[in-house]
Amino acid sequence: MVAVITGDIIESRHTSIEIWLPKLKAILNQYGTSPKDWEIFRGDSFQMITTAEQALYVSIIIKAELKKIDNINVRMGIGIGKIDFKTNKVTESNGSAFVHSGSSFDGLKKQTLAIQTPWEEWNKTFLVMIDLATLTIDKWSDKTAEVMAMKLQNPLMNQKEIAEILNKKGQGNISEALKRGGYDELNQLLNYYQETIKKLC
């Protein structure tokens, strides 16, 4: 089982492409190479392949990194399944992972993140969890997103170290940002997701 993430930048025309496109490419490059593992198409849409266990984490990192840019957000559909036909371009590959990703993305309305897997009962439960999580994530300010992105990608880093790297005045500011961002709760969600997906796969 693998994961396919399909996404696009919300209201991308309101912010210069020169601001968000290099950031998006930099994030995607952390998890693979283009065009085999990820591609950007139609200007502000993208698709990538990752592991089933990493899919939710990668999606949240993409959100955190892009929300560091004021007025930018991203919506994504995660699909878990198989790849039956793989080429050197991710957008030309096919399989149930792509079908599930496209279906979850197309079903987005007010939501900005969804998942579809072969396990229908689990889908229903986990979609509620994702909806609750994104109520907080989509309200992150650029400052909160900056701290959340750093901590999520460096979980062993303490607040003092984060404050020094981000040139914040003190670890109290970091602590407040992590609370506002719901770091502890989000970490629990990610752990639950990874443990469950490992069992299901």
Side-chain angles (χ1 to χ4, degrees):
M1 292 286 184
V2 300
V4 172
I5 301 171
T6 303
D8 69 6
I9 307 300
I10 298 172
E11 297 183 351
S12 60
R13 286 173 287 184
H14 292 180
T15 304
S16 172
I17 191 172
E18 295 175 354
I19 295 175
W20 59 262
L21 184 59
K23 173 67 72 175
L24 176 60
K25 287 183 175 180
I27 303 163
L28 297 178
N29 267 325
Q30 292 179 34
Y31 301 102
T33 56
S34 179
K36 181 181 177 182
D37 303 309
W38 62 266
E39 280 189 87
I40 295 172
F41 58 97
R42 289 204 309 257
D44 63 357
S45 299
F46 62 92
Q47 192 165 66
M48 69 177 297
I49 300 172
T50 186
T51 65
E53 292 86 355
Q54 265 198 317
L56 182 62
Y57 172 78
V58 171
S59 298
I60 291 173
I61 292 300
I62 291 171
K63 269 190 169 290
E65 289 288 347
L66 287 174
K67 281 188 70 64
K68 287 159 61 173
I69 303 169
D70 194 28
N71 296 321
I72 284 289
N73 198 358
V74 58
R75 58 180 185 165
M76 289 169 284
I78 303 169
I80 308 293
K82 297 180 179 180
I83 296 179
D84 300 320
F85 178 71
K86 190 171 185 179
T87 72
N88 289 328
K89 296 186 69 176
V90 64
T91 53
E92 293 178 359
S93 300
N94 208 343
S96 61
F98 289 91
V99 174
H100 290 158
S101 180
S103 179
S104 62
F105 180 78
D106 290 341
L108 291 172
K109 295 177 182 176
K110 293 182 179 180
Q111 305 92 340
T112 61
L113 185 61
I115 187 168
Q116 186 172 327
T117 76
W119 310 289
E120 290 299 331
E121 287 303 313
W122 186 80
N123 288 343
K124 295 175 185 177
T125 301
F126 201 72
L127 277 172
V128 174
M129 296 182 183
I130 288 180
D131 285 348
L132 289 171
T134 52
L135 284 175
T136 298
I137 293 170
D138 288 337
K139 291 179 181 177
W140 286 348
S141 67
D142 53 345
K143 301 299 182 185
T144 299
E146 182 181 38
V147 174
M148 290 293 291
M150 180 64 70
K151 182 63 175 175
L152 285 166
Q153 293 175 93
N154 302 278
L156 299 180
M157 192 176 286
N158 63 42
Q159 293 177 13
K160 183 179 179 181
E161 292 169 327
I162 293 174
E164 289 173 354
I165 291 173
L166 298 180
N167 294 317
K168 302 293 184 184
K169 290 184 178 180
Q171 65 186 68
N173 291 333
I174 301 301
S175 177
E176 285 301 313
L178 292 173
K179 286 179 183 177
R180 285 195 305 271
Y183 175 76
D184 289 340
E185 294 79 7
L186 191 55
N187 208 33
Q188 290 177 31
L189 178 67
L190 287 167
N191 288 336
Y192 167 77
Y193 169 83
Q194 290 175 343
E195 290 170 7
T196 305
I197 285 294
K198 283 179 182 178
K199 291 176 183 177
L200 292 171
C201 287

